Amino acid sequence: MTSPALIALFGGLMMASASAQSAGKPVSNSLPTVVVTASQPDWGANEGAGENLFLPLDTSTITSIMARTAALSTSDSGALLTGVPGGAAWGAGGVSSLPAINGMGADRVQIDINGMTYGVACPNEMNPPLSFVNPAMISNMTVFTATSPVSVGGDYTGAKVKVEVAQPKFTPGQQITTSGSVSGYYRSNGNGYGTDVTATMSNEDTNVTYTGGWARASDYTSGNGTTIKSTMYETQNHAVSISKRDASNLFTLQLGGQFIPYESYVNQYMDLVDNRSFFINGNYEGRFEWGRLEASAFFSRVRHTMGFIQPDKTGDMPMDTRTSNLGYNIRATIDVSPHDLVRVGNELVYNTLDDWWPPVAGSSMMGPDTFININNGQRTRIGTYAEWERHFNDQWTGIIGVRNDIVWMNTGDVQGYNAMMYGANAAAFNALDHARTDINFDGSAILRYTPNAMSSYELGLARKTRSPNFYERYAWSTNAMAMQMIGWFGDGNGYLGNIDLVPEKAHTVSFTASWHDAAQKVWEVRVSPYYSYVQDYIDVDRCALAGCLSNLASNLTTTNNFVFLQFANHDAWLYGINIDGKLALWDGPVYGRGVLRGNVNFVRGQRTDGVDLYHIMPVNGTVGLDHTIGNWTNSLEVQMVGAKTQVSEVRNETETSAYALLNFRTAYEWNAVRIQFGIDNILDTEYDLPLGGANLVNYQQVSMMGSSSVWGYGVAGPGRSVNTRVTVKF
């Protein structure tokens, strides 16, 4: 049965139940009431990104405390996702990893920061959305995984991550109250250090909050002492939020920006040598007798430059991009009855992109003209949705929704550095009609059963659709150097766009069972299997065009070299299971509280023609013991990752071996001071990152160009690091 048919069936069951109740069947007085009281809104009470959304059982939340704890070890907000069930991160720079959830990564995971979404702003995606916030800036991160409601968003096929920064909090009375914190940290591996600052002024109706941070690190070393070149970075992010409320309305204005002067990439041929961004974002929330109204509008601009950072990479080849993002989001949540909610909404996201490579003086290959890669790229998406949440009784809850997203894309004509080497490709691309329109329909249905205070079960069905990004559709040159500049996969291969790509459609079924003690304080187990069949999955084929074969005659058959690829649609499937849980081993005044926690994650992905999908995380898990006594907390954990042997043959992805890492953290809080200490990879284990891609810098060979990267070497993970962090609150 297809997803639309299942959705229709589920909708019919819901309407039949509603009809039965309206026909005279008594309704239990114990039914949960979903009416929001307009006269007493709870503004600023840590509502979180999902306060007005249905949260499926497999949803995960990273709180501000969790994010700040993780900031002891990392300045990369994308790395926080490795701590949620099914979560992983593609290696991509020290603060710019790409998210992956349940085997789907990069653009298949949509990131929303305070209601803002970002389009691609770099052919290597060196500035993904999560790089615009430091971990310590995060107030709340909600991760919707397999079958999320349609109101969560559109134009993605994997997961949705909603991030809140500088969430407003108000204090009683008209007297202005000030508070804040200053943190400084040091990490021994890579000589990393930096600072985070938060400052707030507030009273009962006004809040002004600044949050920001600065971080710097050198190249890190692996477990055997090898310096992993091109892994250094420096970054700073800033955000100011101004909020005003009255009895039933909340207005928030945010503005901020980012500056990354440099960030090296061991798995890319280029480095980031300048990245500047600015955003302004307005949000409104109103609570009324009929329900709740939310509206937001945003604008952001990114100016990005790639080049080579010496001494690890030499030469001169500037690459520039300029992008803007603007949009709005309007959602109304209507209290139809004490047991029914209806959500309707409309959103617009408009992205522009210009990508050009200035000529290099004295170079016959990279001159005399400017290489125009994307010329006035425009991507407009309008999404509209409606969903119904029904609380049948105190045991059964359901939600069903449908949405439509229309995506318009276009771009102008292009040119190469010169007509001799690039003219034929440019002319062929310019002769095509570049405008494309995708009309996408999605839906989801979730049914939850809670038979008692100790268990819950949930079945979810969803269809999600994602349209191609600018580079998947419009990257046009078969020149070897130009192709190697395209691709956010970190595999050393070259990529060519495909203007005839169609959107990918993921049909997902998921089931989650959750068991716990009645008070949810002693033990908890959650099991979440899932299956996705993806029609027209945007993957790649070996490029068979004459230009590609002139770069590498054996391009279609080689198994031990970097290759040239073209984006292509293929049907694919993914399935897996995430299991997580915790158990309180002891709890008392003498020895404090000790909790054993753990998780295991498995995912398998393959195209229907037998080709394994790229960057699929091998089986992995974590076992940890957390101890708290008074103001002192401790944590000892073991991270375990299995061998990666099922790899993408079409990309010549390399295998990685199994490994285990032992980590320790401790923290003590005394009045306004919090001191943290930790050791990552205590045993100094040598290992390769399963999603780290190819090491293109440490291993070089003599070539016609002087030197070139050697195929077959993965990126080693960091060795032992001793980390310290001190936070002072005021």
Side-chain angles (χ1 to χ4, degrees):
M1 185 180 293
T2 64
S3 290
L6 287 169
I7 292 171
L9 174 61
F10 187 79
L13 291 173
M14 293 181 71
M15 288 185 285
S17 176
S19 297
Q21 293 193 37
S22 63
K25 185 176 180 180
V27 179
S28 170
N29 291 329
S30 63
L31 285 174
T33 299
V34 294
V35 173
V36 176
T37 303
S39 60
Q40 295 180 340
D42 193 18
W43 302 121
N46 289 322
E47 294 170 343
E51 190 271 344
N52 194 38
L53 294 174
F54 181 93
L55 298 181
L57 291 179
D58 60 356
T59 302
S60 297
T61 299
I62 297 173
T63 64
S64 60
I65 295 175
M66 297 165 65
R68 284 170 170 78
T69 299
L72 173 67
S73 301
T74 183
S75 297
D76 180 12
S77 294
L80 300 184
L81 293 175
T82 61
V84 305
W90 290 9
V95 294
S96 300
S97 65
L98 299 173
I101 305 288
N102 291 350
M104 295 193 185
D107 289 1
R108 295 185 176 94
V109 177
Q110 187 179 87
I111 307 297
D112 174 321
I113 300 177
N114 286 339
M116 299 181 292
T117 56
Y118 294 82
V120 294
C122 168
N124 300 144
E125 294 202 20
M126 290 181 173
N127 43 18
L130 285 175
S131 69
F132 292 96
V133 293
N134 297 346
M137 297 173 64
I138 294 174
S139 299
N140 188 84
M141 179 185 289
T142 305
V143 183
F144 298 86
T145 52
T147 52
S148 53
V150 296
S151 58
V152 169
D155 198 30
Y156 70 96
T157 48
K160 176 66 177 274
V161 180
K162 296 179 73 66
V163 180
E164 290 195 25
V165 175
Q167 188 175 357
K169 297 180 181 180
F170 302 95
T171 52
Q174 285 296 321
Q175 181 69 32
I176 297 294
T177 300
T178 60
S179 62
S181 66
V182 178
S183 296
Y185 70 85
Y186 176 78
R187 307 183 190 118
S188 65
N189 195 343
N191 192 32
Y193 54 93
T195 184
D196 295 290
V197 178
T198 299
T200 297
M201 295 189 303
S202 63
N203 61 14
E204 64 181 14
D205 59 16
T206 304
N207 174 279
V208 179
T209 297
Y210 163 81
T211 181
W214 168 79
R216 174 185 288 176
S218 302
D219 296 337
Y220 70 78
T221 57
S222 66
N224 64 11
T226 299
T227 297
I228 306 303
K229 300 179 179 180
S230 292
T231 54
M232 62 180 180
Y233 62 85
E234 180 179 346
T235 182
Q236 54 179 287
N237 288 292
H238 307 275
V240 175
S241 175
I242 305 171
S243 299
K244 188 74 174 178
R245 71 170 183 175
D246 60 22
S248 57
N249 300 283
L250 174 66
F251 300 88
T252 300
L253 177 67
Q254 295 177 322
L255 53 90
Q258 179 200 65
F259 174 48
I260 300 181
Y262 61 87
E263 185 178 8
S264 294
Y265 287 75
V266 64
N267 61 0
Q268 295 285 0
Y269 295 105
M270 304 294 292
D271 296 315
L272 185 159
V273 297
D274 188 74
N275 194 89
R276 302 168 188 265
S277 71
F278 166 81
F279 75 85
I280 183 169
N281 181 28
N283 289 271
Y284 166 75
E285 297 180 36
R287 301 186 180 186
F288 308 93
E289 291 184 359
W290 53 265
R292 177 167 172 164
L293 178 66
E294 300 163 89
S296 64
F298 67 90
F299 173 80
S300 67
R301 193 167 183 84
V302 181
R303 182 68 169 82
H304 173 75
T305 301
M306 290 193 295
F308 300 116
I309 298 178
Q310 298 184 2
D312 297 337
K313 299 175 185 175
T314 60
D316 184 19
M317 185 186 170
M319 299 173 61
D320 292 284
T321 59
R322 178 177 54 242
T323 184
S324 61
N325 307 276
L326 63 87
Y328 68 78
N329 193 324
I330 301 175
R331 177 172 67 212
T333 303
I334 305 168
D335 303 324
V336 178
S337 78
H339 319 305
D340 296 275
L341 289 176
V342 171
R343 296 184 186 89
V344 293
N346 176 260
E347 60 189 57
L348 165 72
V349 179
Y350 175 66
N351 312 123
T352 67
L353 175 66
D354 286 289
D355 183 342
W356 72 100
W357 310 349
V360 177
S363 172
S364 59
M365 295 179 59
M366 294 180 286
D369 302 320
T370 296
F371 187 104
I372 300 178
N373 197 29
I374 301 289
N375 178 21
N376 191 29
Q378 300 176 58
R379 191 179 193 271
T380 304
R381 176 172 65 88
I382 294 181
T384 305
Y385 61 86
E387 70 182 17
W388 173 27
E389 180 179 335
R390 171 71 172 172
H391 297 261
F392 299 103
N393 53 44
D394 55 358
Q395 293 182 330
W396 291 93
T397 301
I399 184 169
I400 185 170
V402 294
R403 71 175 292 139
N404 166 244
D405 289 273
I406 304 176
V407 180
W408 295 272
M409 294 182 67
N410 205 348
T411 187
D413 289 345
V414 299
Q415 70 176 27
Y417 284 116
N418 54 69
M420 181 179 70
M421 298 180 64
Y422 305 91
N425 280 163
F429 180 83
N430 293 340
L432 300 173
D433 180 7
H434 303 159
R436 293 293 184 272
T437 300
D438 303 324
I439 302 176
N440 304 326
F441 291 96
D442 292 343
S444 66
I446 301 172
L447 183 64
R448 179 182 298 169
Y449 174 54
T450 306
N452 52 57
M454 298 179 64
S455 60
S456 295
Y457 306 91
E458 188 172 272
L459 175 66
L461 305 168
R463 171 189 161 108
K464 304 182 205 174
T465 308
R466 180 183 76 92
S467 289
N469 66 32
F470 284 117
Y471 294 102
E472 289 169 331
R473 265 189 169 146
Y474 295 134
W476 56 273
S477 177
T478 60
N479 177 272
M481 179 274 297
M483 294 181 72
Q484 289 173 337
M485 299 300 104
I486 307 296
W488 43 98
F489 308 99
D491 56 7
N493 298 316
Y495 287 82
L496 177 68
N498 183 347
I499 201 169
D500 294 322
L501 287 177
V502 298
E504 56 185 19
K505 285 79 67 175
H507 305 263
T508 301
V509 56
S510 66
F511 177 79
T512 299
S514 175
W515 301 279
H516 49 78
D517 65 288
Q520 299 188 39
K521 291 183 177 181
V522 180
W523 64 274
E524 180 180 351
V525 176
R526 181 172 55 169
V527 180
S528 302
Y530 57 89
Y531 175 86
S532 291
Y533 183 82
V534 188
Q535 290 179 291
D536 299 313
Y537 183 92
I538 299 175
D539 199 48
V540 292
D541 290 332
R542 295 284 178 92
C543 180
L545 299 177
C548 297
L549 296 178
S550 67
N551 299 328
L552 180 66
S554 60
N555 189 57
L556 301 181
T557 58
T558 185
T559 59
N560 61 353
N561 202 350
F562 300 116
V563 292
F564 299 96
L565 307 165
Q566 184 173 25
F567 292 108
N569 290 115
H570 287 273
D571 290 351
W573 49 260
L574 301 96
Y575 67 84
I577 186 171
N578 303 315
I579 304 174
D580 65 310
K582 63 181 181 180
L583 172 64
L585 300 179
W586 68 87
D587 193 355
V590 178
Y591 300 105
R593 177 178 172 84
V595 177
L596 182 69
R597 58 177 165 84
N599 67 72
V600 61
N601 311 290
F602 168 79
V603 61
R604 180 82 171 92
Q606 193 176 70
R607 292 179 354 193
T608 55
D609 61 2
V611 174
D612 290 316
L613 299 183
Y614 181 64
H615 262 357
I616 298 296
M617 188 71 181
V619 62
N620 63 94
T622 300
V623 176
L625 178 62
D626 301 325
H627 173 239
T628 303
I629 182 168
N631 296 331
W632 188 24
T633 60
N634 305 282
S635 179
L636 183 68
E637 68 175 18
V638 179
Q639 295 177 293
M640 298 163 287
V641 179
K644 184 177 176 65
T645 57
Q646 294 168 324
V647 294
S648 172
E649 303 92 333
V650 70
R651 284 181 165 93
N652 286 344
E653 183 182 10
T654 56
E655 298 181 356
T656 59
S657 300
Y659 63 90
L661 305 178
L662 181 63
N663 307 312
F664 171 74
R665 292 185 299 273
T666 186
Y668 185 79
E669 190 162 350
W670 178 69
N671 292 333
V673 178
R674 179 177 173 84
I675 300 174
Q676 297 172 267
F677 174 82
I679 306 176
D680 294 336
N681 193 359
I682 293 174
L683 303 180
D684 218 12
T685 301
E686 174 75 8
Y687 65 102
D688 283 346
L689 297 166
L691 306 187
N695 189 323
L696 304 178
V697 185
N698 279 70
Y699 308 97
Q700 298 283 312
Q701 63 186 357
V702 177
S703 68
M704 294 180 60
M705 302 300 295
S707 65
S708 60
S709 303
V710 179
W711 177 88
Y713 292 93
V715 176
R720 182 188 302 117
S721 182
V722 178
N723 310 321
T724 59
R725 188 180 185 95
V726 177
T727 302
V728 178
K729 299 179 181 179
F730 58 87

